[in-house]
Amino acid sequence: MRSPKPLIASFHLSEPGAPEPPIHRAASLAEEVYEAIFARLMALKIAPGSRITVDNLVRELAVSQTPIREALGRLEGEGLVVKTHLVGYSAAPQITRRRFEELYELRLLLEPEAAHRAAQVMTEAALAELTEAAGVMHRSGGADERGRYSRFARQDAVFHDKIVAVAGNELIRETLAHQHTHFHIFRLMFHARVTEEALDEHEAILAAFAARDADAARRVMRTHIERSYARLLPAFDS
Amino acid sequence: MRSPKPLIASFHLSEPGAPEPPIHRAASLAEEVYEAIFARLMALKIAPGSRITVDNLVRELAVSQTPIREALGRLEGEGLVVKTHLVGYSAAPQITRRRFEELYELRLLLEPEAAHRAAQVMTEAALAELTEAAGVMHRSGGADERGRYSRFARQDAVFHDKIVAVAGNELIRETLAHQHTHFHIFRLMFHARVTEEALDEHEAILAAFAARDADAARRVMRTHIERSYARLLPAFDS
DNA sequence: CTACAATAAATCGTATAGGATATCGTATTG
DNA sequence: CAATACGATATCCTATACGATTTATTGTAG
């Protein structure tokens, strides 16, 4: 990474002759740094467990240490990086098998109920959005393998998120979304090319919503998560 | 608060004549600052929604700005403080009624199942610990009202936490513990003196565990949470 | 007496410098 | 040849100074 392109070209010059409204830069530098590091984590540009030196970030992002430390602290609070005293920051380690099982146990407790509730309050507009999010349209978009999986990962995330959003409990939604960031990194390590089956199951969920069948929605969501678990479990046999 | 007692008396003197092993200070300053602010939040010394100026913390804790910013960032990542650009940090606002309902919905989905599972794997030692945590012994310790409630709040927290710990899912445990910090602040705002009923319900849960009756444990835990919800809900009618 | 504007204070955001510690490489000795 | 000790480098941790922005206060005009 030899691209020292600064986030903001020149920060401290505010010429009175140039009345540029600084409205477009409402976010603080620390926030931009946060997003930059978050993106690198999600794209696996920073491997799980590897060190994160603030000095490198200073050079790469062209900002001083303070906002970087602040952003790193926030990421630590969210569990994405860990800090060892007098050693430094590092990306959170890869998810363990035990943690993986716990995550699916949690999902199994929350998401089927969310689907049940969502089916009861599903509107026509929400259903259309959900169908759009499921991406059943451009299913056979013949891109390369990696690109296809990348798109599926994004679709899968928003699909499940939207269901929980329709169900209405924002707290549960945040909880699952937060866990999903960890899960995403794990899943990216293996190019699990099991998208076809998952897409079928997504359609089954949609069908239950379309029929406003709450019990079926809960049941098929449970099956979907259980199968997802089974599909991903072999990844630990490496 | 005019007590500028420093966290660490003198940080930068390491006399070669005094071979004090610096092992006891394994935690970084930022971590100590984190705990200090966390404690103030929990004790309501910083009211929800009120401003938190780093300058005050610099004076009160006798440390520089950098570790304070780092700790504040971490607290932000955990949702306990919020940051507004060019305005500063402030304690997270009081929980809304909607959020309160969502929290109990989440607890209702997780804790009864945890109790069900816990009853199946309950050991004699764990049951003893749980009974100790429930504090049925010194129930009528005739302290003042506030002191009694403070003790109940702590007991209630560890009681529920231990049950989930026995159940074995560490992720669910962390999720609930995290939410409990928010909940604790809310509950502290009202000196809900409904401890007697809750203690009765705790004993009912214990009885189910003692009988290793998993279905009863789930049922009575559900009842406990539902009643807790009903007890606290009037707080929003202020 | 109220509303608006300008000034002053407070606070955040940023940058830079220096001290302390862990890690890694190298040399020396058993 | 292996193991240990020493030293250099890299990095974190802390402290301080300065600039930019927001907010509060005060004075003046209507």
Side-chain angles (χ1 to χ4, degrees), chain A residues 112 115-116 213-226:
Chain A
H116 181 82
D213 189 338
D215 290 332
R218 174 166 51 194
R219 189 172 56 248
V220 71
M221 174 65 89
R222 177 182 301 274
T223 303
H224 172 48
I225 295 175
E226 285 170 348

Side-chain angles (χ1 to χ4, degrees), chain B residues 191-222:
Chain B
H191 305 248
R193 63 212 174 295
V194 284
T195 65
E196 292 300 324
E197 283 180 48
L199 288 177
D200 286 340
E201 291 160 20
H202 280 189
E203 286 188 27
I205 295 172
L206 277 175
F209 283 147
R212 304 297 194 279
D213 188 339
D215 290 332
R218 174 165 50 195
R219 189 171 57 247
V220 72
M221 174 65 88
R222 177 181 300 274

Side-chain angles (χ1 to χ4, degrees), chain B residues 118-130:
Chain B
Q120 293 173 331
V121 298
M122 181 69 65
T123 65
E124 209 58 45
L127 183 60
E129 267 189 58
L130 208 51

Side-chain angles (χ1 to χ4, degrees), chain B residues 78-176:
Chain B
E78 295 180 2
L80 272 70
V81 308
V82 293
K83 172 184 164 187
T84 320
H85 182 53
L86 290 179
V87 171
Y89 288 95
S90 56
Q94 183 60 282
I95 195 171
T96 65
R97 170 163 184 163
R98 165 138 194 189
R99 194 75 173 192
F100 174 78
E101 290 169 354
E102 290 182 356
L103 173 59
Y104 268 84
E105 204 173 323
L106 177 64
R107 292 186 65 184
L108 227 33
L109 284 172
L110 299 182
E111 295 202 42
E113 285 307 316
H116 182 78
R117 182 65 176 278
Q120 293 173 331
V121 298
M122 181 69 65
T123 65
E124 209 58 45
L127 183 60
E129 267 189 58
L130 208 51
T131 308
E132 168 66 26
V136 289
M137 311 303 185
H138 12 63
R139 178 160 174 172
S140 54
D144 58 302
E145 181 67 26
R146 188 176 183 89
R148 280 182 63 189
Y149 176 67
S150 171
R151 200 182 61 202
F152 163 73
R154 198 162 38 242
Q155 280 179 1
D156 184 69
V158 306
F159 181 72
H160 283 266
D161 181 68
K162 271 193 185 300
I163 292 174
V164 184
V166 171
N169 191 314
E170 196 61 26
L171 176 59
I172 291 178
R173 186 185 179 192
E174 287 171 21
T175 300
L176 289 172

